[in-house]
């Protein structure tokens, strides 16, 4: 899938796409976004990952993370719950 950045370079994701990945209803995701309860981060790759970006979106304990290449295509993605990730690390 190809993502389209807006004029400021930020990625704009379709609510339906993101809601599916966060296992939440679309209208509830939009409500939480309006309330500022959904956070996102974009990190640019360095060294061997130069040209890649990592997008992370978090809603409570649900996380969706994607790696995007220089052509703005998702090359990998994962969805997980923070509680599960912490338990797996122990």
């Amino acid at each position: 899938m190809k993502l389209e950045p807006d004029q400021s370079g930020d990625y704009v994701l379709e609510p339906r796409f993101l809601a599916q990945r966060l296992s939440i209803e679309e209208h509830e995701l939009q409500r939480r976004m309006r309330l500022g309860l959904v956070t996102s981060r974009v990190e640019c790759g360095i060294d061997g990952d130069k040209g890649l970006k990592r997008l992370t979106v978090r809603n409570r304990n649900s996380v969706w993370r994607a790696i995007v290449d220089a052509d703005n295509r998702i090359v990998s993605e994962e969805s997980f719950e923070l509680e599960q990730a912490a338990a797996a690390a122990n």
Side-chain angles (χ1 to χ4, degrees):
M1 175 178 181
K2 186 169 182 173
L3 301 177
E4 295 295 332
D6 65 11
Q7 292 177 343
S8 65
D10 293 330
Y11 291 103
V12 179
L13 302 171
E14 291 292 325
R16 181 179 305 154
F17 170 86
L18 191 54
Q20 290 173 344
R21 274 131 181 100
L22 292 171
S23 301
I24 188 173
E25 295 292 327
E26 185 178 344
H27 69 276
E28 181 61 14
L29 174 65
Q30 291 174 317
R31 184 185 76 81
R32 290 181 185 180
M33 290 175 75
R34 282 191 300 274
L35 294 171
L37 301 174
V38 177
T39 60
S40 62
R41 169 187 240 173
V42 177
E43 300 168 277
C44 295
I46 58 172
D47 298 331
D49 293 325
K50 191 171 185 169
L52 298 176
K53 293 180 181 171
R54 179 169 57 193
L55 280 59
T56 305
V57 180
R58 181 175 171 185
N59 170 55
R60 295 187 177 168
N61 288 333
S62 297
V63 178
W64 173 72
R65 185 177 294 148
I67 304 299
V68 179
D69 67 13
D71 293 323
N72 296 315
R73 295 187 192 283
I74 296 175
V75 294
S76 69
E77 64 179 301
E78 63 180 336
S79 297
F80 57 91
E81 296 292 321
L82 290 177
E83 294 168 351
Q84 293 173 351
N90 290 333

